[in-house]
Amino acid sequence: MSALNRRAVAAWCLYDWANSAFPAVITTFVFATYFTQAVAPDPVTGTAMWGHATSLAGLCIAILAPLMGSIADRGGRQKPFLAAFSGVAILACATLWFVGPSPESIPLALITFAVATVAFEMAAVFYNALLPKVAPPALLGRVSGWGWGLGYLGGIVCLGLVLVGFVQNPAPWFGLAREAAEHVRVVGPFTAVWWALFAVPIFLLVRETGTGIGARAAVAQGLADLKTTLAFLRARKDIAWFLAANMIYTDGLTTLFAFGAIYAAGTFGMELSEVILFGIALNLSAGLGAFAFAWIDDRIGSKRTIAIGLVCLTFVGFALLLIESKTWFWILGVAIGPFFGPVQAASRSLAARLAPEEHRARVFGLFALSGRITAFLGPAILGFVTLAFESQRAGMATILPFFAIGLFLLWRKVP
């Protein structure tokens, strides 16, 4: 690669570092735990509410993702849309500051979280579509893995700063009041600043050229282009089956991300500071896995890389449901981490490899759609089972079939 290409690759990967603060701090380890433990009436009810909000966001994403991909294909440019959706997500994160430790804040918390989640996923459509513009075909798996790995590292650093500066600090930075939970509520604006700051390089260093079609024309043609999507999938059955498999196993991953910390706090009695420490350890192991499997992806192929990750997630996940010891939860929880990144990164590189050049954004729109079209299903089932059995452990058990079914479809149907 030339020096300019290296800078573009670094800037593209740094966006993963930037937006990683949202899944690490808001979706999984800090704000989700705060909501179920301090805002909701009780952890079981809070778990169900969080599931409903995640489900609603998934439905919105299912409607918007293919449209956004078609619009980007017609307009030929991804960065303006990436900037717009990133801005909405950043603003929503900042708004979480106003969620106080009271049931009165439940509507604000859930609506704002859902908006941020939708914007986060829509930004990912255009971010992922930039991958083939910064990496040659032979290095798609490697660059995708580097991005995921850097993202996990960003999650580690962000969680560490939150832990040291706010949660465990007896005198939180900026003079925040612990009695009003300001030391936890601040993670919203902190995430917003983090995301905005580290997203700047991708807009400065990644170059793209459009088709000359204006924004209004791109929207109109994008809407019309949706009619051809089904025909496209009928013609490319390999892509259709991959998207179906991704839809199922990503639903399992999304549900696991959304409720892992809630499970740790509710079932194993972890305090918020301990949940954050666990999150740092998990992100570290996940980041190392993403980096290591980046080379494996290019050597053995994306499909095999995904399959290895799903098999390991299924078996280790099953063991996590059987244990009672917090020590074993730590051991197995960290052990499962290295397989998160490879499944996600290899799925992104497989989508890039399968996508025709003229339909990349459309395929990534469908890729985002496949990862979210049933995103309401996993959290909804988990929430229902949790309430029915009054057990978070029973609810978490519903995740494993998603991994197994997704693996079966991937292996049998994707060449």
Side-chain angles (χ1 to χ4, degrees), residues 179-338:
E179 59 272 13
E182 290 181 348
H183 67 301
V184 180
R185 291 157 49 199
V186 73
V187 300
F190 185 82
T191 297
V193 172
W194 177 282
W195 193 340
L197 177 64
F198 291 109
V200 170
I202 196 171
F203 299 106
L204 297 180
L205 299 177
V206 174
R207 295 182 178 179
E208 61 173 351
T209 56
T211 62
I213 297 176
R216 181 176 298 179
V219 171
Q221 292 187 28
L223 286 168
D225 198 39
L226 286 177
K227 299 177 182 178
T228 67
T229 296
L230 289 178
F232 170 77
L233 290 177
R234 282 196 297 267
R236 290 298 305 268
K237 288 189 166 90
D238 55 340
I239 295 178
W241 279 115
F242 163 64
L243 293 173
N246 183 70
M247 174 184 72
I248 296 172
Y249 65 69
T250 299
D251 200 2
L253 284 173
T254 301
T255 308
L256 183 59
F257 291 153
F259 295 93
I262 294 172
Y263 178 61
T267 301
F268 292 92
M270 287 190 180
E271 299 292 335
L272 181 57
S273 59
E274 192 174 5
V275 168
I276 295 175
L277 287 172
F278 175 73
I280 292 172
L282 184 62
N283 273 268
L284 178 59
S285 67
L288 292 174
F291 276 116
F293 275 85
W295 282 268
I296 294 174
D297 185 341
D298 286 329
R299 289 186 64 86
I300 70 173
S302 303
K303 175 182 171 180
R304 291 179 180 175
T305 302
I306 297 168
I308 291 171
L310 289 175
V311 168
C312 295
L313 284 170
T314 301
F315 281 100
V316 180
F318 181 74
L320 278 166
L321 295 173
L322 299 178
I323 59 170
E324 300 286 346
S325 164
K326 185 189 294 187
T327 300
W328 274 109
F329 178 81
W330 267 90
I331 294 171
L332 292 176
V334 173
I336 205 173

Side-chain angles (χ1 to χ4, degrees), residues 15 23 40 45 52 89 91 95 98 107 149 171 180 221 273 317 334 382 405:
Y15 186 85
T45 303
H52 298 329
L91 181 61
T95 304
F98 300 103
Q221 292 187 28
S273 59
V334 173
L382 185 146
I405 296 171

Side-chain angles (χ1 to χ4, degrees), residues 28-413:
T28 306
F29 294 109
V30 184
F31 191 83
T33 304
Y34 165 69
F35 176 81
T36 57
Q37 300 290 320
V39 181
D42 59 81
V44 171
T45 303
T47 300
M49 288 179 172
W50 198 254
H52 298 329
T54 305
S55 297
L56 177 61
L59 287 173
C60 293
I61 292 163
I63 295 170
L64 290 174
L67 172 62
M68 291 299 105
S70 296
I71 289 172
D73 274 333
R74 290 295 186 176
R77 295 177 64 85
Q78 280 78 49
K79 284 174 24 177
F81 294 97
L82 176 62
F85 283 111
S86 297
V88 171
I90 288 167
L91 181 61
C93 287
T95 304
L96 292 175
W97 163 259
F98 300 103
V99 177
S102 165
E104 294 178 357
S105 295
I106 288 175
L108 176 62
L110 296 179
I111 292 172
T112 305
F113 166 70
V115 170
T117 300
V118 172
F120 172 84
E121 292 293 342
M122 291 301 96
V125 171
F126 301 98
Y127 170 62
N128 290 336
L130 286 171
L131 173 58
K133 295 186 178 182
V134 300
L139 295 179
L140 284 172
R142 206 166 305 180
V143 173
S144 180
W146 290 343
W148 278 113
L150 193 62
Y152 281 118
L153 181 59
I156 293 170
V157 175
C158 195
L159 284 170
L161 290 173
V162 166
L163 180 67
V164 172
F166 304 112
V167 175
Q168 277 194 335
N169 195 333
W173 293 344
F174 313 121
L176 299 176
R178 299 181 68 90
E179 59 272 13
E182 290 181 348
H183 67 301
V184 180
R185 291 157 49 199
V186 73
V187 300
F190 185 82
T191 297
V193 172
W194 177 282
W195 193 340
L197 177 64
F198 291 109
V200 170
I202 196 171
F203 299 106
L204 297 180
L205 299 177
V206 174
R207 295 182 178 179
E208 61 173 351
T209 56
T211 62
I213 297 176
R216 181 176 298 179
V219 171
Q221 292 187 28
L223 286 168
D225 198 39
L226 286 177
K227 299 177 182 178
T228 67
T229 296
L230 289 178
F232 170 77
L233 290 177
R234 282 196 297 267
R236 290 298 305 268
K237 288 189 166 90
D238 55 340
I239 295 178
W241 279 115
F242 163 64
L243 293 173
N246 183 70
M247 174 184 72
I248 296 172
Y249 65 69
T250 299
D251 200 2
L253 284 173
T254 301
T255 308
L256 183 59
F257 291 153
F259 295 93
I262 294 172
Y263 178 61
T267 301
F268 292 92
M270 287 190 180
E271 299 292 335
L272 181 57
S273 59
E274 192 174 5
V275 168
I276 295 175
L277 287 172
F278 175 73
I280 292 172
L282 184 62
N283 273 268
L284 178 59
S285 67
L288 292 174
F291 276 116
F293 275 85
W295 282 268
I296 294 174
D297 185 341
D298 286 329
R299 289 186 64 86
I300 70 173
S302 303
K303 175 182 171 180
R304 291 179 180 175
T305 302
I306 297 168
I308 291 171
L310 289 175
V311 168
C312 295
L313 284 170
T314 301
F315 281 100
V316 180
F318 181 74
L320 278 166
L321 295 173
L322 299 178
I323 59 170
E324 300 286 346
S325 164
K326 185 189 294 187
T327 300
W328 274 109
F329 178 81
W330 267 90
I331 294 171
L332 292 176
V334 173
I336 205 173
F339 306 105
F340 287 150
V343 170
Q344 296 169 304
S347 296
R348 181 165 63 189
S349 58
L350 183 55
R353 288 186 168 107
L354 291 173
E357 182 175 357
E358 67 274 17
H359 296 299
R360 279 173 179 162
R362 175 192 290 177
V363 170
F364 276 114
L366 293 170
F367 179 62
L369 170 64
S370 72
R372 280 294 183 175
I373 192 171
T374 58
F376 64 91
L377 187 60
I381 292 174
L382 185 146
F384 174 78
V385 173
T386 298
L387 287 176
F389 290 88
E390 296 185 348
S391 167
Q392 290 181 322
R393 194 184 298 271
M396 293 296 288
T398 63
I399 294 173
L400 299 184
F402 288 94
F403 295 150
I405 296 171
L407 173 62
F408 175 81
L409 290 179
L410 176 77
W411 197 254
R412 291 296 299 272
K413 297 295 186 178

